[in-house]
Amino acid sequence: MTSTAERAEFWVGAAVLAVAVAFLGWSASGGKLFGTHFGATYDLRAAFPNVDGIDTGTDVRIGGVKVGRVSAVRLNPTTFQAEATLSVPSEFKLPIDTAALIQSNGLLGGAYIELQPGGATENLAPGDEIEDVQGAVSLISLMMKFVDSQSGPKKSDETSTEKGAQP
């Protein structure tokens, strides 16, 4: 015969396990709540020189609004460019001159791919490649360039030394 305390422990454990399974399902679906997803999608490809911060599941946005996700990222062994496969809802017919840019959410935030539709009358078909791309910009390399530009000799110091003046 089980005691009341053992039954309570069993039900608390079952509830914790159910919450853990629900959380696992929610995170596997990309953080979407049940029933909140786009209908049919199609894939587009984009080859970037650098996809730092982009991985499977990364947001694809148009005008700052999430419209899709990155479904795959791989390195092309021939071109050595990173190819991202973007899943976009079929309701969005993107022009062939659409641009794909890797953007940052901020200094410490993650990255996402911003699609900027162009004005062409022809649309991209499923499996087409977006030609106009801009890869990720490394914040560290930008800061290093700034530091290097600030640490060089000043123009006034060079001219006064050349004329033989004392520093």
Side-chain angles (χ1 to χ4, degrees):
M1 185 168 186
T2 61
S3 70
T4 306
E6 289 174 342
R7 266 190 248 137
E9 287 177 6
F10 170 78
W11 287 112
V12 168
V16 168
L17 186 60
V19 168
V21 168
F23 180 74
L24 182 64
W26 174 76
S27 65
S29 70
K32 298 175 186 170
L33 298 176
F34 299 102
T36 58
H37 64 282
F38 294 108
T41 61
Y42 67 101
D43 289 342
L44 297 172
R45 294 176 297 115
F48 295 95
N50 183 356
V51 290
D52 192 27
I54 301 297
D55 203 359
T56 302
T58 299
D59 290 354
V60 174
R61 301 179 186 178
I62 298 175
V65 177
K66 180 181 176 183
V67 295
R69 65 180 183 84
V70 175
S71 58
V73 177
R74 73 176 194 89
L75 182 66
N76 184 322
T78 306
T79 63
F80 298 107
Q81 293 220 335
E83 293 182 350
T85 304
L86 316 177
S87 292
V88 180
S90 297
E91 64 190 71
F92 298 112
K93 304 296 183 206
L94 297 169
I96 60 171
D97 57 348
T98 296
L101 297 86
I102 296 178
Q103 302 284 7
S104 176
N105 279 329
L107 290 177
L108 300 177
Y112 63 92
I113 295 181
E114 177 75 26
L115 296 180
Q116 294 179 341
T121 56
E122 291 183 57
N123 292 330
L124 289 165
D128 281 354
E129 182 171 352
I130 297 173
E131 299 291 332
D132 188 6
V133 297
Q134 178 183 337
V137 177
S138 171
L139 185 61
I140 299 296
S141 69
L142 285 177
M143 289 190 323
M144 292 303 292
K145 285 181 183 178
F146 176 76
V147 168
D148 286 344
S149 70
Q150 298 300 311
S151 65
K154 301 230 186 300
K155 198 72 160 165
S156 62
D157 290 344
E158 289 177 2
T159 56
S160 64
T161 307
E162 289 173 7
K163 294 179 182 178
Q166 296 292 331

